[in-house]
Amino acid sequence: MSTLEQDPQEVDLRRIGAPGAVSRLIAQREVPLGGPRGMIVTRTIPDRSLPTIGAWCFIDQGGPVEHRSRLLPHPHIGLQTVTWLIEGEMLHRDSLGTEVLIRPGQLDLMTSGRGIAHSEFTPGDGAPRMHLFQLWVALPDEARHQEPHFEQHSDLPQASGLGWSATVFMGALGGAISPAATYSPLVGAEVRIDPGVTARIPVDRAHEHGVLAARGGVEIDGVQLGAGPLLYLGTSRDELIIEAGPAGATLILVGGTPLREDLVMWWNFVGRSHDEIVAARDDWESNDARFGDIPYHRGARIPAPPLPNVRLTPRRRPPEPPQG
Ligand code: MN
């Protein structure tokens, strides 16, 4: 996906440290992807109060909605895109020559490294029903200059317990370890909980987590969570205790050790400085070989938005407010 907010601003991505076992609801905002006729997605992070969860730096949920996607080639640097479908299909094409159909239950992971371009089209001419998540993982400094690569994983490990099961698409959960390439300690999983069950999901104490509802609703730490917002759960927990409503629930769980790096994030780029972002923008606008080409699109692409009139700077996450 491509961030196409009308007036993209730099966002705070500096972490100030593990805040402990807090819980806090982060409201979603609606963003049209790919311009005014694009799919409306709900974005939860980055948020001014919460720029990252572990290395997860961007979380969009789209649908369920009938939508025809024609998201033209656009660039990325410094991140991995994690595409996870609940419903529908998407055609991914990238400048490495990848052309794959993305389906529910599969992980599609694009590691941009120093630079890549991709497009995302729904197959056919109609507007199929779509329900998807697109998540970005910031690459740590030592991994962000690598050559780009794309992975598709259809045989993902499952974790389970009493009344719940999970498909682990990134990192590790409950003894299940995803084969996907990761560069920092983290987890990404689809968790399904049976109706009325209180699930106890073992997690890493060093990780902070975020939970979103894809289907149904749950209660965690006394907070009701339905479609839309993200529930942030701080570190220092051995398990997540999640009570599903009468319809059961399908959740997306992300987590990781709090990121200690200053990030500068603008448009589709994750970097470390203003100048680096400007250079990436210039490379895209000048058709530099850094991002490659997708011949299928015959030169059609999404132009970079103008830079803001201020220098892009990393800013720090504010301290957690007192609990209770
Ligand atoms: Mn994208």
Side-chain angles (χ1 to χ4, degrees):
M1 285 192 185
S2 171
T3 66
L4 293 164
E5 289 177 272
Q6 283 293 305
D7 181 23
Q9 299 291 319
E10 84 277 23
V11 290
D12 303 357
L13 284 170
R14 168 67 186 254
R15 299 300 309 269
I16 59 159
V22 300
S23 57
R24 192 154 54 84
L25 211 51
I26 305 295
Q28 74 278 21
R29 58 192 191 276
E30 292 194 343
V31 180
L33 281 184
R37 287 178 297 128
M39 174 186 259
I40 302 292
V41 299
T42 57
R43 182 165 302 159
T44 43
I45 65 167
D47 179 82
R48 288 217 170 268
S49 72
L50 185 69
T52 48
I53 297 174
W56 299 93
C57 63
F58 187 93
I59 298 179
D60 274 355
Q61 178 172 190
V65 65
E66 288 175 2
H67 178 71
R68 178 175 184 262
S69 174
R70 291 290 182 272
L71 199 61
L72 287 169
H74 57 275
H76 288 289
I77 67 166
L79 57 87
Q80 295 176 291
T81 63
V82 173
T83 306
W84 186 259
L85 297 186
I86 305 293
E87 279 186 73
E89 291 178 333
M90 190 76 89
L91 260 170
H92 163 98
R93 294 184 179 93
D94 66 39
S95 50
L96 302 171
T98 311
E99 180 172 330
V100 295
L101 195 59
I102 297 177
R103 292 196 174 94
Q106 284 179 336
L107 171 67
D108 288 87
L109 176 64
M110 186 177 77
T111 301
S112 74
R114 59 186 301 276
I116 194 169
H118 74 145
S119 67
E120 291 154 294
F121 279 36
T122 43
D125 294 325
R129 188 172 160 88
M130 298 295 299
H131 187 184
L132 59 83
F133 286 81
Q134 197 175 72
L135 318 170
W136 294 357
V137 179
L139 290 168
D141 196 43
E142 67 273 15
R144 69 195 184 94
H145 300 293
Q146 66 180 294
E147 293 300 315
H149 59 102
F150 180 85
E151 298 165 54
Q152 187 173 55
H153 297 282
S154 299
D155 188 17
L156 291 164
Q158 305 288 314
S160 61
L162 207 59
W164 67 272
S165 63
T167 303
V168 182
F169 53 78
M170 291 283 279
L173 182 75
I177 301 171
S178 166
T182 56
Y183 299 91
S184 61
L186 55 79
V187 59
E190 180 190 283
V191 179
R192 299 161 298 270
I193 306 178
D194 294 341
V197 162
T198 298
R200 304 178 79 101
I201 299 170
V203 293
D204 189 324
R205 278 186 74 78
H207 288 192
E208 55 183 352
H209 293 91
V211 182
L212 299 108
R215 290 177 175 140
V218 293
E219 185 177 317
I220 307 173
D221 276 12
V223 179
Q224 300 285 333
L225 179 68
L230 176 145
L231 182 63
Y232 171 73
L233 300 166
T235 58
S236 313
R237 298 163 190 266
D238 295 313
E239 58 183 5
L240 305 182
I241 302 173
I242 306 180
E243 188 180 340
T250 300
L251 309 173
I252 295 297
L253 171 66
V254 297
T257 54
L259 193 66
R260 305 288 181 190
E261 296 185 33
D262 278 335
L263 304 182
V264 176
M265 193 169 160
W266 180 82
W267 194 38
N268 297 313
F269 304 138
V270 176
R272 297 297 183 278
S273 70
H274 175 87
D275 292 343
E276 206 179 317
I277 298 292
V278 171
R281 184 185 184 282
D282 288 347
D283 287 345
W284 178 247
E285 291 300 283
S286 64
N287 288 293
D288 188 272
R290 172 180 185 172
F291 293 108
D293 184 39
I294 309 175
Y296 175 87
H297 295 291
R298 301 166 186 268
R301 64 217 303 266
I302 298 176
L307 284 159
N309 291 322
V310 295
R311 279 186 74 80
L312 302 166
T313 53
R315 285 177 291 174
R316 296 180 179 187
R317 188 165 81 160
E320 286 295 327
Q323 295 285 294

